[in-house]
Amino acid sequence: MPKIKIDGFQLFCMMVIFMFGSNLLLDIGKGAKQDVWIVNLLSTVFGCLLYFVYVSLFKKYPDLSMTGYIRKIWGKYIGGAFSFCYIIYFIYLASRVLRDFEELLISSTYRRTSIITLGICMILVLIYGVHKGVESFARVACLCFAIIIVSLLILNIMFVLGGYTKLENLQPVLGKGWGTVWKELIPTGITVPYGELITFTMILPYLNKKSSAVKIGLSAIIIGGISLTLNSIILLSVLGPDAVLRSNFPALTAVSYINIADFIERLDSLILVLMIILGFIKISIFFFCAIIGAADLFQMKPSPAFIYLVGGVIFFSSLMIAPNYQAHIDEGLKVVPYLLHLPLLIGIPILLLLTAYIKQKLKPAVS
């Protein structure tokens, strides 16, 4: 392993911001309408269970990234093929999130700007951030974490003190039963963002105190999950379930309501900046994982040229991923969770853990 090290707080900040990511932007699970907060609460519980799978594999191979221990468990060829699949998967997810934020900018502020121009500007910043390395990125993530938490706290206080919240919008609780809740929870609510934390199996080997991986990860999931639940409650209280469901970007719509004494208003720009920060962190982590995985699989040192190449693939993929934003959303909510998220985020990690456990049990007998 390289001598790159990050501390526990830096990992915590990265994980929380990563979970916020596009979830604060899109409000995943809003199909459950007024019960979306239940979806977020339950998904936090399942997220903790899923993280135990990831961290159990890490504890067995603390010095290896996921692409390393897949080959250790399943062999050079089968493991290598799956490692390559995960590298492509990280690039694909980075492209999807990049497209989310390109669309956000076009629909909110840059209506006359080409999506290509916005994408180029964003990917150049991302390439620069990845080129500076994991340690520098982790320090930036801590600063971004403080900015985001303080800003969201102030915005939520404004919603409450300004009288914009209506708790009756949360009723009736479970008006349509558990059916819609489970439909939104499985698989999308579990895999996004908690299943996506599998990306941190590429970063955990850089942790300076590896024994703290369990505590840090669970703390981040619980705090992030509660924050996303509260965010859903605030959005529902302000907009109502039907408006949340219709809006492409509920958070941006809700902030536009704020007008305190005709002095504090038009805070769209603030939420836009926060969303861009969230997008930058999440895409960068996917980007880093693709680079780390490729370097490990092909036994090479990541060069600037290679980082630019992967960045270019992410950029062009974000443009070609769907003909329009609605198709992009439909693919992300109706196709990707079943064809990619379930096998890659849940199925394969469980199989890996079972295989590692069986090999460990059989090893004494063989020797």
Side-chain angles (χ1 to χ4, degrees):
M1 287 296 298
K3 295 181 180 179
I4 300 171
K5 293 295 178 183
I6 59 174
D7 62 36
F9 181 69
Q10 290 171 338
L11 179 66
F12 173 83
C13 292
M14 285 194 291
M15 290 183 75
V16 173
I17 297 176
F18 181 86
M19 285 187 288
F20 284 177
S22 49
N23 286 59
L24 286 178
L25 175 66
L26 302 174
D27 197 23
I28 300 296
K30 62 184 181 181
K33 292 194 171 182
Q34 69 271 14
D35 297 323
V36 62
W37 64 273
I38 300 177
V39 175
N40 284 322
L41 203 57
L42 289 176
S43 63
T44 304
V45 177
F46 283 101
C48 290
L49 297 176
L50 197 53
Y51 182 74
F52 271 117
V53 175
Y54 302 154
V55 83
S56 296
L57 284 166
F58 166 70
K59 288 166 71 175
K60 289 182 179 294
Y61 306 96
D63 295 321
L64 296 177
S65 63
M66 183 180 62
T67 52
Y69 61 66
I70 288 179
R71 302 199 305 280
K72 190 83 171 178
I73 296 171
W74 283 349
K76 179 179 178 181
Y77 298 105
I78 295 176
F82 277 100
S83 296
F84 183 73
C85 289
Y86 273 102
I87 294 168
I88 300 301
Y89 181 61
F90 294 145
I91 292 174
Y92 174 74
L93 291 181
S95 303
R96 290 202 61 84
V97 181
L98 179 59
R99 179 62 177 267
D100 285 336
F101 287 90
E102 288 170 346
E103 295 287 352
L104 168 66
L105 290 172
I106 287 175
S107 64
S108 59
T109 307
Y110 300 96
R111 294 183 177 88
R112 296 184 180 181
T113 306
S114 167
I115 191 173
I116 297 176
T117 303
L118 292 173
I120 290 173
C121 293
M122 294 178 72
I123 200 64
L124 288 176
V125 175
L126 289 163
I127 289 171
Y128 176 78
V130 172
H131 178 67
K132 298 302 289 184
V134 176
E135 289 180 314
S136 298
F137 176 78
R139 290 192 291 270
V140 171
C142 292
L143 176 61
C144 292
F145 176 80
I147 294 171
I148 290 166
I149 293 300
V150 171
S151 300
L152 290 177
L153 182 62
I154 292 172
L155 286 172
N156 287 335
I157 290 173
M158 286 183 181
F159 281 131
V160 175
L161 296 183
Y164 298 102
T165 55
K166 299 177 182 178
L167 294 180
E168 57 267 26
N169 288 334
L170 302 175
Q171 299 174 342
V173 177
L174 295 174
K176 294 186 178 181
W178 285 97
T180 55
V181 171
W182 291 115
K183 183 179 178 181
E184 293 294 320
L185 178 65
I186 304 172
T188 308
I190 298 174
T191 55
V192 181
Y194 303 103
E196 292 177 336
L197 290 175
I198 197 171
T199 54
F200 284 88
T201 58
M202 306 295 293
I203 298 175
L204 286 176
Y206 297 114
L207 188 62
N208 57 3
K209 293 183 180 179
K210 297 177 182 179
S211 59
S212 63
V214 177
K215 180 176 67 175
I216 293 169
L218 290 179
S219 300
I221 290 171
I222 292 170
I223 291 174
I226 291 173
S227 299
L228 290 172
T229 302
L230 293 174
N231 176 71
S232 297
I233 291 174
I234 291 291
L235 291 179
L236 283 170
S237 301
V238 174
L239 298 176
D242 293 326
V244 168
L245 184 61
R246 289 194 304 269
S247 176
N248 288 330
F249 307 109
L252 198 60
T253 304
V255 170
S256 66
Y257 284 24
I258 295 178
N259 184 349
I260 300 177
D262 290 326
F263 179 69
I264 301 176
E265 58 180 342
R266 299 190 64 81
L267 297 177
D268 310 48
S269 298
L270 173 61
I271 199 71
L272 198 62
V273 170
L274 295 180
M275 292 302 181
I276 294 302
I277 292 174
L278 291 172
F280 168 76
I281 298 294
K282 186 160 188 175
I283 300 167
S284 294
I285 289 173
F286 284 134
F287 199 161
F288 268 117
C289 292
I291 297 295
I292 293 170
D296 174 63
L297 179 61
F298 300 112
Q299 297 298 300
M300 65 179 195
K301 185 177 180 180
S303 63
F306 183 69
I307 293 173
Y308 274 98
L309 175 62
V310 175
V313 172
I314 292 172
F315 165 65
F316 285 109
S317 298
S318 73
L319 300 179
M320 297 185 294
I321 210 164
N324 54 62
Y325 185 62
Q326 189 56 51
H328 168 68
I329 291 296
D330 290 341
E331 179 183 315
L333 297 180
K334 298 177 182 178
V335 179
V336 174
Y338 296 95
L339 294 184
L340 294 179
H341 290 344
L342 275 179
L344 293 174
L345 303 182
I346 299 178
I348 289 176
I350 291 175
L351 288 176
L352 282 169
L353 187 60
L354 289 175
T355 306
Y357 179 78
I358 292 171
K359 289 179 71 173
Q360 186 179 19
K361 289 294 182 182
L362 291 178
K363 191 174 181 180
V366 173
S367 58

